Amino acid sequence: MNKKDTILIIGAGLCGSLLALRLAQRGYKVEVYESRPDLRTVDISAGRSINLALSDRGLKALRLCGMEEKARKICIPMYGRLMHDTAGNTFSSNYSGRENEYINSISRGNLNAILLDEAEKHENVNIHFNKKCNYVDIENGIAHFEDYKTKEAFSIDAAVIFGGDGAGSSLRKSYMDERKFLFSYSQDFLNHGYKELEIPADKDGKHQISNAHLHIWPRGDFMLIALPNMDGSFTVTLFLSYDEGEFNFDNLTSEEKITEFFEKEFPDALALIPNIKEEFINNPTGPLGTVKCSPWSYQGKTLLIGDSSHAIVPFYGQGMNASFEDVFVFDEILSQDLGDWEAVFKAYQKARKHDTDAIAALAIDNYHEMRAHVANPLFKEKRKIEMDLEKTFPTEYSSKYSLVTFNEQIGYDEAMKRGRAQDKALLNMIADDTIYTHLEMTKEELKVILDKVIIETKTILEEDKIAGL
Amino acid sequence: MNKKDTILIIGAGLCGSLLALRLAQRGYKVEVYESRPDLRTVDISAGRSINLALSDRGLKALRLCGMEEKARKICIPMYGRLMHDTAGNTFSSNYSGRENEYINSISRGNLNAILLDEAEKHENVNIHFNKKCNYVDIENGIAHFEDYKTKEAFSIDAAVIFGGDGAGSSLRKSYMDERKFLFSYSQDFLNHGYKELEIPADKDGKHQISNAHLHIWPRGDFMLIALPNMDGSFTVTLFLSYDEGEFNFDNLTSEEKITEFFEKEFPDALALIPNIKEEFINNPTGPLGTVKCSPWSYQGKTLLIGDSSHAIVPFYGQGMNASFEDVFVFDEILSQDLGDWEAVFKAYQKARKHDTDAIAALAIDNYHEMRAHVANPLFKEKRKIEMDLEKTFPTEYSSKYSLVTFNEQIGYDEAMKRGRAQDKALLNMIADDTIYTHLEMTKEELKVILDKVIIETKTILEEDKIAGL
């Protein structure tokens, strides 16, 4: 772990640039190679996840690197979901009963840009764009690249190579292809894909619908969502099956059918998307996949970090937050002075893998929840009780959503286990009429529910433990 | 689905040969290509899963093809587990409280041979050996082979191609490589590998230990098992971590250390394995992996079946049974006269996938159970109650093991859900002292327990359903 050795980071996306910044702050010599052009000089968004949800886990990592304030300046707080039904009625559901808990809509490009700017301020960091990694010779620590412009091939020899190169990671592919060790790997696609559309700003550059919410049009088998941008526009994303149901990506091929679909299902959104037909036809349909793998490292030579090691579906708004938290956890392990990279990489995976597996599962949970449950009466009643509990007993109750999103001091795995048990307790108590709820609950009534939930959650966790689950 | 069209089956292993036989019986023209030599003429076992456990699901498929009686002639019934502790004490645990429920040790080679013999009796079947499939052009239905002896490359054009080519399937690899569709795929390795050893027959050709049991030496982090062969020998398998614990495959490299390990952990087994050192050093260490994927078919052109679509770890003794049951389920779908192969393939996966996912999960459950739980007092008490319940109420109670192994009329998924809920109910009732158990339970005492288990199991399943689990 000699600080004169060269550390190579493949990928200057969100995770790669934050990692570069942190390692530079620790005094390491860092070379970053990115396949795409510099997004600060070229627009490369191309209709794919233009904005993201930044929340407490991501902010924790940005804070570590001194970037929290700069990031907050480009954030738009979203305090809850605003659901739209087919008649155009809306109802809101806050993310938390506590006032200081909200998520933030942020532009992927702008956030990446401030991280690159900050990393480049360090003279021990060099960032190279338009250099695509084709494969990594993991045994010898050599990464093979191609220059996008000159088409020239070249290679970089490094003491340590980090793969921060996202869901399609070339380092991860090299693990698969080289077969130097037993590599557990999974890629799991949902039957749904996604497509991005746009609600432009009004003529005064203002948002046409509430910019304090994440908008959802839940329709059971499919849904539309919208997140606000700082320029007054919204990025709208349609999640839809490729080939199932009356309307799907495979059969929405004519302008008539696209219009018919939106008129029937999303009339209020349609009225706000002037270029619907062009955008629908021209914007790509992206797949929704979960990637897991193990081990993340090869000896002390290479490490996968961020999406390259755990790509998840976007339904919990945690993809970027999980990748940033990777950098935070990795930094904690570095502070333990374990002596060599192999020990650091192993300790890092041991500390982190169960949590990234958990957020992958949670994101799939929310895929079902957002499309269907949010409009389900049992679920709505549960959410109302949870908001009341969080408001009335802010230090004693946190919903699963709060545990995952706003409780960055516990890991995703613990948040999932506690959160799922709590949900199970609450849903069953509502279904059994074990608890009585009405619109204006008193503190005393809520205290009765709180005590029951706590006891029942504990019982569920204990029974699962005894059953070895 | 013209019966004059050529159906190509890649692989003449257990699943490929049973499928060939069944399709031949239905009048299809079948060409089978197998990479290895004909196992009826050459010994190709090479220290890898020489014997297997055949049980009711496998027998159901063999019965369909008229092969049950022939198979039973080469079976050795095993009525339960015989556990060995480090002091050489043994205790037995039956697989079922019902007398007619047992599993069978059978030689993979001998079973494969009788299936090949039977398939070849049909003039509409041709089996070709030493022809290795390298890849399949799935769009055009062309499989590319290499002749192992002449090294010549050739290709086969077929109306339909079945990949019965096992865990390392070339058809499945072609799905991954061709990227014609979104292919969900996972390969998951345990930290444990396995190695086969042998307890030879005594000088009279007889078994040296009980041949009516599957022997287990459970040691928590590792274990040894032994299944009887018809020649009086036992095939012994060591399951051990590659790199964790005091003893592991990576550090058991000297004769001294191997002997030290067996003397300390398996002294009674060691006394029966005369060639321990040679076998340990010369026999390969195999990995233990689970493979899942989806979709199994490409249009109406290709289908993965058996291990190629769902390889599992061996701890439930269900690998072969699951593959044979694939043929049974596929045959049921064929009987529905759906009109074209695409509809057949889709209906088959829809009927089957949730069950093969379940047996994969169950096999992992048993990996933990066999190593550790079998020696755990809570688990032993549960097994005793279950045996008593099955004996006393044979039509009213079936343990998870019985549901999975002996109840071939229900799918693995239902067996898993009911079985896990039942286990959870029983384990928690024992832990809570909700039920009282002693050595000689009366029918009345057992009836009380039965009623409680049934109610509690139902509650668990309902609560999981409400929680959306």
Side-chain angles (χ1 to χ4, degrees):
Chain A
M1 302 185 71
N2 190 323
K3 294 206 170 163
K4 284 180 186 163
D5 289 341
T6 297
I7 290 180
L8 170 63
I9 298 177
I10 307 170
L14 292 169
C15 183
S17 53
L18 188 67
L19 177 67
L21 171 58
R22 187 60 198 152
L23 290 176
Q25 289 170 338
R26 280 184 167 269
Y28 290 99
K29 221 175 100 188
V30 183
E31 299 289 325
V32 187
Y33 284 77
E34 164 62 43
S35 64
R36 290 168 299 182
D38 188 342
L39 51 73
R40 293 167 297 183
T41 58
V42 185
D43 178 16
I44 53 165
S45 56
R48 292 218 167 176
S49 36
I50 291 169
N51 54 21
L52 300 162
L54 175 63
S55 52
D56 295 26
R57 292 175 196 275
L59 287 163
K60 170 181 68 174
L62 291 170
R63 192 176 310 131
L64 170 74
C65 304
M67 293 301 291
E68 182 181 9
E69 288 319 307
K70 280 186 185 155
R72 286 204 186 263
K73 282 186 190 139
I74 52 172
C75 279
I76 304 177
M78 299 183 288
Y79 297 90
R81 297 165 174 165
L82 193 71
M83 256 73 77
H84 299 245
D85 71 15
T86 47
N89 303 310
T90 59
F91 69 95
S92 68
S93 168
N94 282 358
Y95 284 120
S96 167
R98 284 170 287 267
E99 283 195 356
N100 57 340
E101 291 183 346
Y102 54 85
I103 64 176
N104 303 280
S105 180
I106 193 166
S107 150
R108 173 195 287 272
N110 292 347
L111 178 56
N112 207 343
I114 63 172
L115 293 175
L116 291 171
D117 285 347
E118 191 70 21
E120 277 186 338
K121 286 184 190 163
H122 294 76
E123 59 179 22
N124 48 337
V125 174
N126 291 304
I127 308 177
H128 313 262
F129 295 95
N130 293 305
K131 310 282 187 281
K132 183 176 162 41
C133 181
N134 285 322
Y135 76 97
V136 179
D137 172 350
I138 59 176
E139 192 64 49
N140 299 303
I142 301 171
H144 294 268
F145 291 90
E146 187 185 320
D147 188 300
Y148 183 75
K149 287 178 176 164
T150 65
K151 306 293 170 201
E152 231 168 298
F154 65 98
S155 62
I156 304 285
D157 203 327
V160 189
I161 300 175
F162 288 84
D165 48 349
S169 170
S170 61
L171 178 57
R172 198 186 64 231
K173 278 184 194 150
S174 304
Y175 284 7
M176 277 290 266
D177 296 342
E178 287 214 9
R179 297 169 160 269
K180 294 257 176 218
F181 52 91
L182 291 178
F183 186 52
S184 293
Y185 170 74
S186 72
Q187 57 185 43
D188 252 301
F189 295 100
L190 299 181
N191 185 263
H192 284 57
Y194 75 95
K195 190 184 284 285
E196 291 196 348
L197 306 165
E198 192 196 27
I199 296 176
D202 68 14
K203 61 183 187 327
D204 303 320
K206 295 276 193 302
H207 291 99
Q208 298 196 59
I209 49 178
S210 164
N211 67 359
H213 289 94
L214 189 157
H215 296 261
I216 310 187
W217 291 257
R219 297 295 180 266
D221 288 338
F222 46 87
M223 70 168 174
L224 201 66
I225 69 167
L227 277 77
N229 296 313
M230 293 196 75
D231 64 3
S233 68
F234 282 83
T235 301
V236 179
T237 309
L238 171 66
F239 296 97
L240 178 69
S241 172
Y242 281 102
D243 54 12
E244 289 176 1
E246 186 189 349
F247 297 100
N248 57 55
F249 279 122
D250 285 357
N251 71 24
L252 283 177
T253 48
S254 70
E255 293 194 356
E256 294 69 36
K257 191 134 190 191
I258 294 164
T259 310
E260 183 197 342
F261 176 53
F262 276 79
E263 275 174 352
K264 186 178 167 198
E265 300 290 348
F266 313 114
D268 57 339
L270 179 62
L272 301 169
I273 310 175
N275 300 319
I276 178 83
K277 291 170 206 164
E278 295 78 359
E279 287 178 1
F280 198 96
I281 289 166
N282 296 328
N283 287 355
T285 304
L288 295 164
T290 302
V291 171
K292 293 182 192 171
C293 63
S294 179
W296 289 341
S297 60
Y298 180 65
Q299 298 173 354
K301 298 173 181 180
T302 62
L303 177 73
L304 298 169
I305 191 162
D307 279 7
S308 69
S309 52
H310 51 73
I312 62 176
V313 294
F315 304 104
Y316 228 109
Q318 285 293 323
M320 167 179 60
N321 293 291
S323 291
F324 281 177
E325 199 178 48
D326 280 1
V327 176
F328 185 91
V329 174
F330 187 74
D331 186 76
E332 282 186 324
I333 304 291
L334 278 178
S335 296
Q336 293 172 10
D337 291 325
L338 297 175
D340 63 68
W341 287 110
E342 184 164 8
V344 168
F345 293 168
K346 283 196 169 166
Y348 164 66
Q349 176 167 348
K350 198 167 177 200
R352 187 64 178 149
K353 177 85 164 83
H354 64 133
D355 286 323
T356 60
D357 283 349
I359 191 58
L362 285 162
I364 298 284
D365 285 0
N366 250 25
Y367 163 60
H368 302 291
E369 180 174 319
M370 287 177 78
R371 284 188 302 150
H373 298 185
V374 285
N376 169 313
L378 193 62
F379 179 86
K380 279 162 86 169
E381 191 166 346
K382 181 188 77 104
R383 281 305 287 169
K384 179 178 177 317
I385 296 174
E386 292 197 284
M387 289 306 103
D388 288 346
L389 290 174
E390 290 192 333
K391 206 171 288 177
T392 316
F393 306 102
T395 59
E396 287 159 79
Y397 189 81
S398 287
S399 69
K400 182 173 87 170
Y401 189 87
S402 286
L403 290 169
V404 171
T405 309
F406 307 120
N407 283 262
E408 75 279 8
Q409 75 289 356
I410 64 167
Y412 285 123
D413 187 49
E414 187 184 338
M416 176 176 75
K417 285 182 181 139
R418 275 171 57 189
R420 282 184 173 173
Q422 233 171 232
D423 278 359
K424 188 175 177 179
L426 262 173
L427 287 167
N428 275 287
M429 290 193 301
I430 297 167
D432 295 350
D433 290 322
T434 310
I435 51 176
Y436 170 69
T437 65
H438 54 104
L439 274 180
E440 299 294 333
M441 305 279 287
T442 64
K443 186 165 182 177
E444 289 65 36
E445 287 172 326
L446 284 167
K447 183 73 172 67
V448 173
I449 294 179
L450 177 68
D451 291 344
K452 281 186 182 169
V453 174
I454 289 170
I455 289 169
E456 188 55 25
T457 301
K458 211 177 146 212
T459 304
I460 288 169
L461 289 170
E462 274 166 12
E463 287 179 353
D464 281 352
K465 200 176 169 190
I466 285 167
L469 296 176
Chain B
M1 302 185 71
N2 191 325
K3 294 207 171 163
K4 285 180 186 160
D5 289 341
T6 297
I7 291 179
L8 169 62
I9 298 177
I10 307 170
L14 291 168
C15 183
S17 54
L18 188 68
L19 177 66
L21 172 56
R22 188 59 198 153
L23 291 176
Q25 289 171 339
R26 280 184 168 267
Y28 289 99
K29 223 175 101 189
V30 183
E31 299 289 326
V32 187
Y33 284 78
E34 163 62 43
S35 65
R36 290 166 299 181
D38 188 343
L39 51 74
R40 293 167 298 183
T41 59
V42 184
D43 178 15
I44 53 167
S45 56
R48 291 218 168 175
S49 37
I50 291 168
N51 53 22
L52 301 163
L54 176 63
S55 52
D56 295 28
R57 293 176 196 275
L59 288 163
K60 170 180 69 172
L62 291 170
R63 193 175 310 131
L64 170 75
C65 305
M67 292 301 292
E68 181 180 10
E69 290 319 308
K70 280 185 184 152
R72 287 206 185 262
K73 282 186 189 139
I74 52 172
C75 279
I76 304 176
M78 298 183 289
Y79 297 90
R81 297 165 174 166
L82 193 72
M83 255 74 76
H84 299 246
D85 71 15
T86 47
N89 305 309
T90 60
F91 69 95
S92 69
S93 168
N94 282 358
Y95 284 121
S96 167
R98 286 170 287 267
E99 282 194 359
N100 57 339
E101 291 184 346
Y102 53 85
I103 64 175
N104 302 280
S105 180
I106 193 166
S107 150
R108 173 195 287 271
N110 292 347
L111 178 57
N112 207 153
I114 63 173
L115 293 175
L116 291 171
D117 286 346
E118 192 70 21
E120 278 187 337
K121 285 184 189 163
H122 294 77
E123 59 179 23
N124 48 338
V125 174
N126 290 305
I127 308 176
H128 313 263
F129 294 95
N130 292 306
K131 310 282 186 282
K132 182 175 163 42
C133 182
N134 285 322
Y135 76 97
V136 179
D137 172 350
I138 59 176
E139 193 63 48
N140 299 302
I142 301 171
H144 295 268
F145 291 90
E146 185 184 324
D147 189 301
Y148 183 76
K149 288 177 177 166
T150 65
K151 306 291 171 202
E152 233 169 293
F154 65 98
S155 63
I156 304 285
D157 203 327
V160 190
I161 300 175
F162 288 85
D165 48 348
S169 172
S170 60
L171 177 58
R172 198 187 64 232
K173 278 184 193 152
S174 304
Y175 283 7
M176 277 290 265
D177 295 342
E178 287 214 9
R179 297 169 160 267
K180 294 256 176 218
F181 53 90
L182 291 178
F183 187 52
S184 293
Y185 170 75
S186 72
Q187 58 184 39
D188 252 302
F189 295 100
L190 298 181
N191 185 262
H192 284 58
Y194 74 96
K195 190 184 283 287
E196 291 197 348
L197 306 165
E198 192 196 28
I199 295 176
D202 68 15
K203 62 183 189 321
D204 303 318
K206 295 276 194 301
H207 292 99
Q208 298 195 61
I209 49 178
S210 164
N211 67 359
H213 289 94
L214 189 156
H215 296 262
I216 310 187
W217 291 257
R219 298 294 180 266
D221 288 337
F222 45 87
M223 70 169 172
L224 201 65
I225 68 166
L227 277 76
N229 296 313
M230 294 197 77
D231 64 2
S233 68
F234 281 83
T235 302
V236 179
T237 310
L238 171 67
F239 296 96
L240 178 69
S241 171
Y242 281 101
D243 53 13
E244 289 176 0
E246 186 189 350
F247 297 100
N248 57 54
F249 279 122
D250 285 356
N251 71 24
L252 283 177
T253 49
S254 70
E255 293 194 357
E256 295 68 37
K257 189 134 192 190
I258 294 163
T259 310
E260 182 197 342
F261 176 52
F262 275 79
E263 275 174 353
K264 184 178 169 199
E265 299 290 347
F266 313 114
D268 57 340
L270 179 62
L272 300 168
I273 310 175
N275 301 319
I276 179 81
K277 292 169 205 161
E278 295 78 356
E279 287 178 1
F280 197 97
I281 289 166
N282 297 327
N283 288 354
T285 303
L288 294 165
T290 302
V291 171
K292 292 182 193 171
C293 62
S294 181
W296 289 341
S297 59
Y298 179 64
Q299 297 174 354
K301 297 173 181 181
T302 62
L303 178 73
L304 298 168
I305 191 163
D307 279 8
S308 68
S309 51
H310 51 72
I312 61 177
V313 294
F315 304 103
Y316 229 109
Q318 286 292 322
M320 168 178 60
N321 293 292
S323 291
F324 281 178
E325 199 177 48
D326 280 2
V327 176
F328 184 91
V329 173
F330 187 74
D331 186 76
E332 282 185 323
I333 303 291
L334 278 179
S335 297
Q336 293 173 10
D337 291 325
L338 297 176
D340 63 66
W341 288 110
E342 185 164 6
V344 168
F345 293 168
K346 284 197 168 164
Y348 164 67
Q349 177 168 346
K350 198 168 177 200
R352 188 63 179 151
K353 177 83 164 82
H354 63 131
D355 286 324
T356 58
D357 283 349
I359 191 58
L362 284 162
I364 299 284
D365 285 0
N366 250 24
Y367 163 62
H368 301 291
E369 180 173 320
M370 288 176 77
R371 285 187 302 150
H373 298 182
V374 287
N376 168 313
L378 193 62
F379 180 85
K380 279 162 87 169
E381 192 168 346
K382 180 188 78 104
R383 282 305 288 168
K384 184 184 173 311
I385 296 173
E386 291 197 286
M387 291 304 105
D388 288 346
L389 289 175
E390 290 192 332
K391 206 172 286 175
T392 317
F393 306 101
T395 60
E396 288 158 79
Y397 189 82
S398 287
S399 70
K400 182 173 86 169
Y401 189 88
S402 287
L403 291 169
V404 171
T405 309
F406 307 121
N407 283 263
E408 74 280 8
Q409 76 288 357
I410 64 167
Y412 286 123
D413 187 49
E414 187 183 338
M416 176 176 75
K417 286 184 181 139
R418 276 172 54 189
R420 281 183 174 174
Q422 231 170 233
D423 278 0
K424 187 175 177 178
L426 263 172
L427 287 166
N428 275 289
M429 292 193 301
I430 297 166
D432 295 349
D433 290 322
T434 310
I435 51 177
Y436 170 69
T437 66
H438 54 103
L439 272 182
E440 299 293 334
M441 303 280 286
T442 65
K443 187 165 180 176
E444 288 65 37
E445 287 173 327
L446 284 166
K447 183 73 171 68
V448 173
I449 293 179
L450 178 68
D451 291 343
K452 281 186 182 169
V453 173
I454 288 170
I455 290 169
E456 188 55 27
T457 301
K458 212 178 142 210
T459 305
I460 288 169
L461 289 169
E462 274 166 11
E463 286 180 354
D464 281 352
K465 202 175 165 190
I466 286 168
L469 297 175

